[in-house]
Amino acid sequence: MRPFLIAASLLASAAPGMVMAQQPAPQPPRPMADGVLTRAEALARADRRFDAIDTDRDGRISAAERAALPQRAPRPAVDAGTPPPPPAPGGPRGFGGARMLERADTDRDGVITREEYRAQAGAAFDRQDGNKDGRIDATERQQWRDQRMERRGDRAAD
């Protein structure tokens, strides 16, 4: 009887662990699930982008890794007689454009470190955070888009 009790108690103590092991791990909350982007979420997003671009995992984005990024689709021509501009390096979403990567290389050594990339992402966040509360909400995002479109319109008119 005693071996049966020992076996039953061992089984009873192991059963919850086996059930817990079969359940999927809880997922962290999705960034911007509430419509607000925090500085921490923006930097975490930058880290994920950096990791996606840094294919050799050396902690630096080289010119070769930048050149290997998917090309953006060219914008359609304004009129039928004007050819579209050449594609710029950078994916349509997620990797950033060539100018952003150039700006991130603050020491101009041809490679971008994680610290340089995060600093660039932090600066971009600060520019968009109009009320400087450490959060970018829908209103601030729309204001930023409007400002960018206005600047692009001004350049096109020159």
Side-chain angles (χ1 to χ4, degrees):
M1 179 78 167
R2 191 171 205 184
F4 175 74
L5 289 175
I6 293 172
S9 64
L10 286 175
L11 181 63
S13 65
M18 293 185 325
V19 169
M20 291 297 290
Q22 293 177 358
Q23 294 178 355
Q27 296 295 318
R30 213 179 48 153
M32 289 188 55
D34 58 355
V36 174
L37 179 68
T38 65
R39 185 176 187 78
E41 290 169 341
L43 293 177
R45 181 185 285 182
D47 286 338
R48 287 191 302 274
R49 287 183 191 141
F50 184 91
D51 291 340
I53 299 170
D54 181 23
T55 55
D56 63 6
R57 305 288 182 249
D58 66 350
R60 300 162 22 125
I61 299 173
S62 66
E65 288 169 321
R66 287 194 310 256
L69 289 173
Q71 298 292 309
R72 277 188 199 209
R75 289 189 193 146
V78 175
D79 63 26
T82 306
R93 293 196 68 155
F95 290 120
R99 286 185 302 201
M100 179 272 201
L101 289 172
E102 284 177 25
R103 284 192 306 263
D105 185 15
T106 54
D107 60 6
R108 302 288 180 238
D109 64 351
V111 295
I112 301 166
T113 64
R114 182 177 299 274
E115 292 75 26
E116 288 175 321
Y117 197 85
R118 284 177 61 97
Q120 179 70 24
F125 181 90
D126 292 341
R127 284 190 303 272
Q128 293 179 49
D129 184 14
N131 60 5
K132 306 301 179 202
D133 66 348
R135 301 162 36 104
I136 299 173
D137 59 22
T139 303
E140 289 169 317
R141 273 193 307 281
Q142 188 59 48
Q143 288 172 344
W144 179 249
R145 279 187 207 111
D146 293 345
Q147 289 172 359
R148 281 182 28 221
M149 294 307 288
E150 188 175 307
R151 284 193 305 262
R152 286 181 183 169
D154 290 344
R155 284 188 196 145
D158 290 341

